[in-house]
Amino acid sequence: MGLFLHALFLMAISATCADEEAAFIGVNIGTALSDMPDPTQVVALLKSQQIRHVRLFDADRAMLLALANTGIHVTISVPNDQLLGIGQSNSTAANWVSRNILAYVPATNITAIAVGSEVLTTLPNAAPVLVSAMSFIHSALVASNLGSHIKVSTPHSSSIILDPFPPSQAFFNRSWEPVMVPLLKFLQSTDSYLMLNVYPYYDYMKASGVISLDYALFRPLLPTKEAVDLNTLLHYTNVFDAVVDAAYFATSYLNFTNIPVVVTESGWPSKGDSSEPDATLDNANTYNSNLIRHILNNTGTPKHPGIAVSTYIYELYNEDLKPGPVSEKNWGLFDGNGVPVYILRLTGSGTVLANDTTNQTYCVAREGADKKMLQAALDWACGPGKVDCSPLLQGQPCYEPDTVASHASYAFDAYYHRMAMGEGTCNFNGVATITTTDPSHASCIFSGSAGRNGTFTNSTAVAPSNSTVSGGHSLSLCSNEFYGHSLVLLLGFVLWTAAYL
């Protein structure tokens, strides 16, 4: 039966995105938050934002279970502290795959494994076993008929590329060639891709004025301000493309020319300390908004125009427990309550990360709803729903007007936004409805309003509902904005078959 299920799984995958070459935008999900949302809330946020690709820094069981039956493409990671054991033992690698892959597929759509992270630059003593760790894991996947679907690679810091400009002269640090050559050979033989972390923010900070802020942020440049590679006469209008092309040229220098690049981390911090004046909300918004448009337009790079450079934004949440400077805690698109740190400027760019104000919705009491049912729903929201209803107390900003409908609207909306506006979270047994009109009034600011900072308590409680529908939208972040429902349907068939075989 196992082979049959795997065959069905592979059929499902082959029916997913019609254009596998289309670029996608994904997000990294870090967990160093003092109030980390429950995995079900994380998935609700992913659904509401149309995020179809995520990268986890581990293989957390609760998160993988929460991602089951969503169709979201998941990259899981082998943490650096497990690398030595896996790289020295085929059986250890096989056990890792059994525990962290086979236990979840096909329900959870695991599509890649990142073996370690920036190993060459952060854990050089593990470098000699890096390729063997990748090979052992791939062999275990092949043994389970998953070798062609789940790609194996390892993320690199772009700092392993020396002399990155002009890109045509770039090459990998030659001290790492004994690792890079067999690594690239592995990627080529398994039809995988080079994972690269690209941070124009750091390149800009270290350049001491040589790199302009506009060039780092994808802002439009005058032709005279574009960087020109005099060896190829290619024009570069942003740091991101230059670094990606430097990686292409560096691989070709080692005689590998057909290995694609996937950017596993890129972003810009929204806040910094006094030594980081360019870590601002506006710069973070500008960079990530321009990056998303650039990727989903399938622009490619000057060396490979039109070739997808799929990218994972670093990161979904601000991680306030991260050590280091202030900027390290402020790379997120959202705070721990699912409230956008800033509103991405993506109007007209499809459904990607739809936290644009043009897509803002609120949950309020349905006009004419039964008052007793409203009161029961209000009591639930302020009780089991764990909404902070203190603003509804007498003398507080949202006490007036003192009606059940008004108080219920505040509580419903607070719950709805705390659950990331997930489908089914604005029902309350039929007495609630979604509106695009901001219900805020006077000093009573509703959740999701541009005037609210948001301070909600994370919870796994589910609002009372007549509906059993709990999934979010199923649109894709493929740049052609198409993602068939066939994966969900076929996975459902796989699970149904498993139950009756």
Side-chain angles (χ1 to χ4, degrees), residues 85-125:
I86 290 174
Q88 294 173 340
S89 169
N90 202 350
S91 61
T92 301
N95 288 336
W96 190 93
V97 168
S98 179
R99 291 193 316 272
N100 299 297
I101 302 290
L102 303 184
Y104 304 102
V105 298
T108 302
N109 186 22
I110 299 172
T111 56
I113 302 172
V115 181
S117 179
E118 300 189 346
V119 174
L120 301 186
T121 49
T122 62
L123 193 66
N125 64 309

Side-chain angles (χ1 to χ4, degrees), residues 52 86-87 91-92 100 112 151 164 185 187 189 201 214 221-222 250 280 290 330 395 400 406 433 440 453:
R52 304 297 304 174
I86 290 174
S91 61
T92 301
N100 299 297
K151 303 301 182 184
K185 189 175 296 184
L187 297 179
S189 66
Y201 172 74
D214 288 345
L221 299 175
L222 294 173
T280 67
N290 287 340
N330 290 280
E400 297 288 350
S406 178
T433 187
S440 301
N453 292 323

